[in-house]
Amino acid sequence: MAFPTPETLRPLVEPIVSSRNMDVERVRVNRAGSKSVVAIAVDSDAHPDLDALEGLSQEIGEAFDRAEEAGVVSFGAGYTLEVSTPGVDHPLTLPRHWRRNVGRMVALTDAAGAVTRGRIGALNADGDHVILITRNGKQLQVAPIELAAVAKAVVEVEFAEIPAAERQLAAATYEDSLARREDYK
């Protein structure tokens, strides 16, 4: 039996992760002899802390052990299990990614390769548009962005304090942001 693939492991992992109100963002298997690594990235609206990740890692490891004993998978000489969050370099590809990063800076690349930087505001109820807050000098601008038009989006790390006006606008609902758009022209 071959070393398990991400497609083999995902059905073992997803029920455990979802029982803790989290989502599996990525399953990777790096096969390197006795140093094989199974890396699982999870996230949730509550942003899992180290204790949650440790408990989840233990539970997933136990499930892998049971699956190996049952002959469902074979890890051969063994593996190292890494359970973490996706990190800021994880691209925003699903509505939940946008929702979980409201208030953060993002670099958006469109299909033509043009990059726009702005702060993530609210997601609409259908999950297909998000508010993007940008600055033109000192003036804030608010624009609805269709997620399908975004070719790539990655959160940018910020070290400075978020300006109060941007923080308040990012915390507003989608509809309130659109209604206040005229205030920022």
Side-chain angles (χ1 to χ4, degrees):
M1 181 180 287
F3 197 86
T5 64
E7 295 76 26
T8 307
L9 296 177
R10 191 174 269 275
L12 296 172
V13 172
E14 284 182 336
I16 298 166
V17 173
S18 67
S19 74
R20 291 174 175 247
N21 296 317
M22 296 183 203
D23 300 297
V24 176
E25 295 296 343
R26 177 178 60 238
V27 177
R28 289 198 176 132
V29 176
N30 296 321
R31 182 101 194 259
S34 63
K35 297 190 184 258
S36 297
V37 175
V38 176
I40 301 168
V42 300
D43 204 0
S44 73
D45 288 351
H47 302 293
D49 62 14
L50 290 176
D51 290 335
L53 294 174
E54 182 181 349
L56 187 59
S57 179
Q58 183 173 346
E59 197 172 340
I60 291 170
E62 291 168 358
F64 285 178
D65 292 346
R66 286 190 304 273
E68 192 167 33
E69 288 171 11
V72 174
V73 296
S74 174
F75 290 103
Y79 66 98
T80 299
L81 177 61
E82 297 175 357
V83 177
S84 65
T85 57
V88 295
D89 61 341
H90 184 73
L92 307 180
T93 58
L94 299 170
R96 70 175 184 242
H97 299 155
W98 293 90
R99 185 182 70 244
R100 290 173 181 165
N101 284 287
V102 166
R104 299 188 75 182
M105 283 300 265
V106 65
L108 304 176
T109 305
D110 66 18
V115 177
T116 303
R117 287 178 170 72
R119 189 162 312 282
I120 301 171
L123 193 66
N124 71 347
D126 293 333
D128 58 1
H129 284 76
V130 68
I131 294 294
L132 186 67
I133 304 159
T134 58
R135 280 196 174 272
N136 185 3
K138 291 186 177 186
Q139 186 70 32
L140 288 179
Q141 295 179 325
V142 176
I145 303 294
E146 183 181 9
L147 296 184
V150 176
K152 181 179 179 185
V154 179
V155 169
E156 294 195 330
V157 177
E158 287 183 283
F159 296 103
E161 176 94 16
I162 299 171
E166 288 182 39
R167 186 174 41 251
Q168 288 174 337
L169 193 50
T173 66
Y174 185 85
E175 292 75 17
D176 286 347
S177 296
L178 288 179
R180 293 172 56 188
R181 183 167 51 173
E182 291 301 316
D183 300 340
Y184 295 101
K185 284 189 175 181

